[in-house]
Amino acid sequence: MKHKHSISVFCLLTVLAVASCSPRPHDARQSSQLPPIFPDYVDVTVPVDVAPLHFSLPDSVADYICAEARGKGAVAMEAAGRWADFDDEQWHRLLATNKGGDITMSVTARRPDGQWVRYRDFVIHVAADSLGAWGLTYRRIAPGYESFGTMGLYQREFSSCNEYAIIENTAVPSSCVNCHAARGGDPSAFTFHVRGAHGATLVQIDGNREWLSTKTDSTLASCVYPSWHPSGRYIAYSTNLTHQAFHEVAPSVLEVFDTGSNVQIYDTQTHALIVPPQLATDEWMETYPAFSADGHTLYFCTARRQPVPDGLTEVRYNLCSVSFDASTGTVGAQVDTLFDAESRGLSAVHPRPSPDGHWLLFTTADYGCFPIWHDESEQWLLDLHSGEAHPLAEANSPLADSYHNWSPGGNWMVFTSRRADGRYSWLYLCRVDADGHATKPFLLPQRDPATYYGTALWSFNTPDFTTGRVEFDVGAGARELVSDERIQVSMSRRH
Amino acid sequence: MHGRWLSTAAVAVVTFVVCVLLAPAWMSFHEQYQLFQSTGTYFLHHLSLPGGVAAYVAQWLVQFFLFPAAGALVMALLLAALHAALLSLARLRDGWPLASVLAVLPVALAARVLADVNMLPALLVAADMALWGVLLCLLPVRGWGRAVLTVVCMPVLYWLCGPVVWMAIACAALLALARRRWLWLGACVLSAAVVALLAYVTLPVQYPVARVANGLFYCRLPQYDATWQWLMLGALALTPALLWHLCRRRVRPVVLCAAVVAVAGLSWPVVSTGVDPVQREVVGYDYLVRNARWDDVVERAVQVPPTRPLSTACVNLALAQRGQLSDSLFHYFQNGPQGLIPPFTRDYIESVTIGEIYYHLGMVNDAQRMAMEAQACVPDGRLSARCMQMLLHTSLLNGNERQAQRYQRWLDNTLFYKHTTKDAVKSLQKASVPPRLHDGDLFYDGNNTEQVLARIVEQIPTHRMAYEYLMAYCLLSRNLDGFMHYFPQGQAIGFDHMPLAYQEALVYVWSQQSNDFSAMPWPVAPHVVQGVMNFARLYVTDRSNAALHEPPLSQTFWSYLLLGPAPATKPTTSSTIY
């Protein structure tokens, strides 16, 4: 008994001794400045189920930080170390308790010279609603040109920093995966495209996989840029002849452009492509289709063909829409121009209708169809009721802001941005209110974000929300891909 | 007893000498296509995959390949360790002299396998670890101890070394069989079953089964013919038992001498047949370019004329760096403008070298592009120290310090690249970087090289390399109109004499309009005039004349123009990753 008691005292003393080695702020100088934290989570609005917003200070500013988060009531949490590493459970309790309110962050940091500084407190707003999704799916790939190294499609649980691979191209060597989409964020209907020696388009519905060969003699190329019809029967694709040209003088790097593109609709039941002539014209290039949430409308972009690359700066896409009848799989004859970007000297791409049908989110650039390589690219919002469009000034940055998607509930959006260094695309989220205004975007949280984002050699592409975890049998899928057994899509007689 | 290890020491010495003299390019190649990181994350990533620890150790060692002597020492120790392990496993009393000689053969076979630059040193490290692991299993004297240790060790070895463990199991089983240790043999069989089960249960889902079975870290290529790899491992597995069986008694000195001669005679062909001539050429030139050894590039081109566009491009780059391109362009094999700036192909070796050419031309965006492409093309997806350095340099040149910092953070975790940014900044401050375009942007799609070079020359009239490349491009494209158009801009370069290739082109141009060479408005040397007359006479009267196809006439612009390779077709427009 005495022996056991001695051991317990020894353990307690050891713990206390170890704990006492952690630095504690003392003689802290008060500063009126906000802490220069990375990521910048000052005054952002987050869903209640977001993962902990870990942050740090630059090494030149501090080598140790103590952060305290508090809301209403007695709940508070602390994190200390080289970076503010908040405990997951405590964080979620804190946010749940302060749903619809604010969390106040106090940061005290130790400068490299040993002086402690207490910065001005800042606030993180906790929205009353959750994200309405399990997480995000995206592609991770180096921001390269013609070659792809190790890359893949991934999914990320939103309430934690856990990321899981859906498929990496190590599973099928020399392949590239892209163009993934789920029906309304529901992963039970999922598609992605594989390029390379064993290229194919996957359509997986309720776990049943079909590998399609979507290139036909009558179409330009394989199907890309998918958008599911809410019924799950149709997928709108674009087919594009994509090329690129390289800028010789920095800061411009690359232009990606099409020499031709059409929009077509794939019928998952008949394995046939519907190619309406009004979406496959010779004089115009139609691309980036997106079904409305109710499935009655198909949005897309179209631009006059120009000689490229010399005439590239004259290629400007307008936003258009056409009706769609799911019962017959036919497209309306009339094409409406919703946003005449060309007349404004802009090019509008990536239309994304909000789930409630009120808004159409899109990206503008000075020209072209690939805005991520344009520093001037911005997020815009079109009010589908009034026809008015405005830039999402609160979300935009001086550098490229591009591809985006709505959360299933329509209150949040995720988009790619190169605001950090102009080269690598990261994911930002923000809330969009009923008036079409955005909150300050926040960077997707990561554990030890300074190291993660400071060393990441990949960009995040084509983010989307997912209501659940994407289940994909990589082993079986890879074997099927390598087998080269495909369903060849045919041409439908319907227009 | 000391003599037992003489042969091992001999293996080490021979390996050291061979590597220092003949394999610096091979070592440099391995070093530049990895980026070892001294971070916990890097280690944990390797620990999470079978064979990852051996690969981690190998990558740490390969860092020293940056210095030929240090790299040679590493290789010497690895191969000597292999030899020592084989001898120790054979456990001979009297027959060790012959055994120590015969044990050189499987080591030579291992060297042969590694002579292929796509086979990675991790295979050798794994083989070493596996054989020494078998030795560990022999430590217990009692049979039960040995059996238990074998069953415990082999699965651990699988995780540390990867599928090389099958060699270890086979080696142990053969030794057990040879010595009739049935308990130990049973343990080997049991350990094989355990390893198979472990491999199945832990199969990484993101890799094909075949790749895991052959080893994730032994070859740079995700799909490869592993025949030689398994032959090597089979030989290693077989050797200890075979030596024990064949070398139980001491042999006469004459037999030993004959064995030494035979093994020495066999070993060199075994190793040298593993060297691919194309790899050797490309890797050799790339090594010299990496180290800016321009004189050595040119000397090598004289001894071993380049046969590939990339090698030709290296020679042309070296000539330009020595200020000799316009004089000596046609003294070396030329196969068209693609030998000046090769068109992009998805190849990690070519992209790196092409990037060097762009860098020296001041085409910074393209140099960065090639570094990115090369990085993406590395077959096993590993980062490249050389590419990372180029990305950092070009980011700084483009004024993107944040992007440069990203790359420096990776280089900070290496042994020898921590000061890359400091060195790059110093170069910038000293202006010892090539002049580059600052404005007047234009597109480059691989088809308008002449246009881009002309723009550089227009903006930077004193950019000698750009001008020489522009003129060489015109000559190699047989574009004499272009040559004559850009010719006057050469005044700004300040040549101290009319370059020979230009004289040859000018005299040819003049000869198309007049026979009176004395009236030429350019300073063409009399021997050049005489040369063109000789060439024309032979070309018109006897095209098969040997003199036309031998120096000096074969090393002229006229020979290239009229007898050289057919013009290459224009490259197609590029594809994208989008």
Side-chain angles (χ1 to χ4, degrees), chain B residues 450-451 454 467 470-471 474 481-490:
Chain B
E450 180 188 327
Q451 183 189 5
Y467 180 76
L470 174 61
M471 299 301 272
C474 291
D481 289 339
F483 172 81
M484 295 305 295
H485 174 74
Y486 300 118
F487 176 72
Q489 296 175 36

Side-chain angles (χ1 to χ4, degrees), chain A residues 33-218:
Chain A
Q33 309 285 332
L34 287 168
I37 60 170
F38 173 83
D40 179 9
Y41 290 139
V42 173
D43 204 28
V44 296
T45 302
V46 298
V48 68
D49 51 351
V50 71
L53 300 186
H54 309 293
F55 60 81
S56 63
L57 291 173
D59 290 341
S60 57
V61 172
D63 58 13
Y64 196 89
I65 69 175
C66 295
E68 183 188 88
R70 60 186 184 281
K72 65 184 180 196
V75 179
M77 61 181 302
E78 292 182 355
R82 195 170 55 80
W83 45 284
D85 182 10
F86 297 107
D87 177 79
D88 284 24
E89 278 189 35
Q90 287 183 0
W91 172 269
H92 287 300
R93 270 203 302 274
L94 179 66
L95 260 63
T97 309
N98 292 279
K99 198 170 164 180
D102 292 341
I103 291 174
T104 303
M105 268 308 169
S106 302
V107 176
T108 308
R110 184 180 69 189
R111 292 193 329 207
D113 63 4
Q115 171 70 52
W116 287 91
V117 178
R118 166 72 188 262
Y119 288 96
R120 179 153 63 102
D121 290 353
F122 66 90
V123 164
I124 295 173
H125 309 286
V126 183
D129 53 345
S130 67
L131 192 71
W134 174 85
L136 298 167
T137 58
Y138 44 79
R139 184 172 79 151
R140 278 206 276 113
I141 186 171
Y145 307 81
E146 296 183 59
S147 308
F148 40 84
T150 303
M151 52 83 70
L153 298 177
Y154 300 84
Q155 52 189 331
R156 158 70 187 266
E157 187 177 24
F158 191 67
S159 60
S160 73
C161 295
N162 296 330
E163 180 189 83
Y164 310 94
I166 299 172
I167 179 170
E168 291 178 317
N169 67 344
T170 47
V172 182
S174 305
S175 66
C176 170
V177 286
N178 61 0
C179 297
H180 71 280
R183 184 195 60 201
D186 179 0
S188 67
F190 196 75
T191 179
F192 65 79
H193 183 65
V194 180
R195 280 192 298 178
H198 303 289
T201 299
L202 167 77
V203 174
Q204 175 173 284
I205 300 175
D206 295 327
N208 296 317
R209 286 183 301 277
E210 288 185 340
W211 295 99
L212 313 174
S213 176
T214 57
K215 171 75 177 75
T216 73
D217 292 337
S218 310

Side-chain angles (χ1 to χ4, degrees), chain B residues 16 19 26-27 61-62 64-76:
Chain B
F16 180 87
C19 285
W26 177 88
M27 290 190 288
L61 290 170
V62 166
F64 294 94
F65 284 17
L66 184 63
F67 309 103
L73 183 61
V74 167
M75 285 304 298

Side-chain angles (χ1 to χ4, degrees), chain B residues 135-282:
Chain B
L135 269 171
L136 184 70
C137 295
L138 286 176
L139 283 180
V141 176
R142 288 177 185 261
W144 278 106
R146 184 176 297 181
V148 167
L149 197 55
T150 300
V151 176
V152 167
C153 269
M154 291 307 169
V156 172
L157 276 179
Y158 171 71
W159 204 256
L160 297 179
C161 310
V164 160
V165 74
W166 297 113
M167 177 270 288
I169 294 173
C171 179
L174 287 168
L175 281 171
L177 195 62
R179 295 179 189 169
R180 300 171 190 257
R181 301 283 194 264
W182 308 119
L183 184 61
W184 191 27
L185 181 62
C188 292
V189 173
L190 179 60
S191 63
V194 172
V195 167
L197 181 64
L198 176 65
Y200 176 75
V201 165
T202 61
L203 201 63
V205 293
Q206 298 291 348
Y207 294 93
V209 173
R211 187 164 177 205
V212 180
N214 280 330
L216 292 172
F217 299 102
Y218 303 154
C219 182
R220 209 184 302 278
L221 306 174
Q223 292 169 309
Y224 66 105
D225 181 358
T227 306
W228 278 101
Q229 171 186 307
W230 289 107
L231 274 174
M232 163 199 151
L233 293 174
L236 291 174
L238 195 59
T239 296
L242 205 58
L243 290 179
W244 184 83
H245 186 70
L246 293 175
C247 305
R248 288 197 213 179
R249 293 191 189 83
R250 193 177 281 268
V251 297
R252 287 179 293 166
V254 65
V255 172
L256 190 61
C257 287
V260 169
V261 170
V263 165
L266 271 175
S267 297
W268 182 248
V270 164
V271 176
S272 60
T273 52
V275 177
D276 181 277
V278 171
Q279 271 186 8
R280 188 169 168 227
E281 177 180 329
V282 167

